Amino acid sequence: MILHDELAKLYIEGGDLAPFRETWYFADSDLSREYEKNVFTLPPADREGREQASQVYTSLLSVLQSFSVPGSSAAELYDGLFPHWLETLKRVSVDLIVGLPYPHDAVVCSAPDGKLHILLDVVRWTYMLGYDLEGNARGILAHELFHVLLRERWPEEAESSDYLSSLDHITFHEGFAHMVQFCAMHTADWHSEKLTQVGADSRAKLAQALAETDPEKQKAYLSEADRGCWYSKYAAMAGMLFLADRWEDGGIPALRAILETGPAGFAPRCL
């Protein structure tokens, strides 16, 4: 990994963040285009906030310096679908920053030169202090790195105004990435009562989203597709559980076939 941590260190040291306000993270990224504005959000200026961010920074640095995919099932997905993922790991940029808007704690964004960066906001991660921060970090990094691999294979049309294509992309990309993270952090029982109910609810909402024609309601469906509480991300959950079923039925070759087919038309397949 190529680490960029100047902004996080500047904040922790109490420095002036103003020069960073117009950097591409906030002014010329996938997020700024989605929100249609500069998304820089001033982090807490108090000493306690900086100290908490420092604890997060130290933990994330430890994980980044020794990262490996956690869990045998998640490792199987990496090795089976992207056999050369370690080459991507060596060259991917990871930026430890502050200033992302809530709820964005970890996100993959394309820089102006087209290169993909994993952005980790050390202030947004402070809610994990007191929990297994490093364990959660490994799972989230496995999720975000898988996004990088997917986007290199199937670049997202971040600025597409096509609603149905956007739903396809979200369901495809988030379905794969959430499945990897779930396997990295849990012993997956895809047929548990909880996941069975989540699957039914997610598919029902995805069907409603696919049928929606009102532009304002479409915006709301896209926003809810992969945001909020884990199990409320209806498109991510519908995609994840569809892929888990295919994995159980046909193993890695079945998932590889879906991967090679790509996102187009993927969301309706998950119903």
Side-chain angles (χ1 to χ4, degrees):
M1 293 182 182
I2 302 170
L3 180 66
H4 305 276
D5 61 356
E6 299 84 0
L7 181 48
K9 289 197 294 188
L10 181 65
Y11 169 71
I12 291 166
E13 293 164 0
D16 180 13
L17 303 182
F20 281 87
R21 186 183 293 270
E22 297 301 323
T23 57
W24 71 266
Y25 303 137
F26 314 113
D28 188 18
S29 67
D30 302 345
L31 279 179
S32 65
R33 286 185 285 275
E34 178 184 348
Y35 285 90
E36 298 181 339
K37 64 178 183 179
N38 185 309
V39 296
F40 179 79
T41 304
L42 194 66
D46 59 289
R47 180 178 177 181
E48 181 182 3
R50 294 196 304 272
E51 289 177 348
Q52 290 179 340
S54 179
Q55 293 177 54
V56 170
Y57 172 86
T58 300
S59 293
L60 289 179
L61 201 60
S62 174
V63 171
L64 291 169
Q65 289 172 341
S66 59
F67 179 75
S68 61
V69 177
S72 58
S73 295
E76 180 185 353
L77 292 169
Y78 263 85
D79 293 339
L81 297 177
F82 293 101
H84 305 295
W85 69 269
L86 283 171
E87 293 303 313
T88 299
L89 179 66
K90 291 177 184 178
R91 58 180 167 76
V92 70
S93 290
V94 179
D95 301 57
L96 299 180
I97 68 171
V98 297
L100 292 181
Y102 177 83
H104 301 285
D105 53 10
V107 63
V108 173
C109 280
S110 177
D113 63 4
K115 293 181 180 178
L116 295 171
H117 290 239
I118 299 174
L119 309 184
L120 305 176
D121 188 312
V122 298
V123 170
R124 296 291 173 211
W125 282 64
T126 55
Y127 75 94
M128 294 189 198
L129 291 172
Y131 299 95
D132 181 10
L133 193 152
E134 292 195 10
N136 283 311
R138 291 186 185 92
I140 292 171
L141 281 169
H143 175 122
E144 299 302 337
L145 180 59
F146 214 80
H147 271 308
V148 172
L149 295 166
L150 288 166
R151 287 181 62 167
E152 287 184 343
R153 177 63 185 85
W154 290 103
E156 291 180 296
E157 298 171 8
E159 300 181 61
S160 173
S161 59
D162 185 333
Y163 171 67
L164 294 178
S165 292
S166 295
L167 269 181
D168 281 336
H169 277 280
I170 292 171
T171 310
F172 181 85
H173 286 264
E174 296 296 340
F176 269 109
H178 277 76
M179 181 170 64
V180 166
Q181 185 177 350
F182 196 85
C183 289
M185 301 179 69
H186 306 277
T187 300
D189 177 4
W190 302 114
H191 303 289
S192 69
E193 182 177 351
K194 175 68 175 178
L195 287 181
T196 298
Q197 186 61 54
V198 167
D201 293 344
S202 299
R203 289 189 295 273
K205 190 162 184 177
L206 180 58
Q208 294 171 355
L210 287 166
E212 187 55 67
T213 58
D214 180 85
E216 289 304 312
K217 292 181 179 178
Q218 287 179 343
K219 287 182 181 178
Y221 274 120
L222 287 178
S223 178
E224 296 166 5
D226 67 336
R227 290 189 187 158
C229 298
W230 178 273
Y231 292 120
S232 70
K233 304 174 183 180
Y234 71 90
M237 293 295 101
M240 178 184 81
L241 293 170
F242 170 80
L243 292 167
D245 282 345
R246 302 291 85 74
W247 189 13
E248 283 192 331
D249 291 343
I252 289 295
L255 293 181
R256 192 179 299 121
I258 294 170
L259 180 66
E260 291 307 310
T261 300
F266 182 73
R269 294 175 63 189
C270 297
L271 298 179

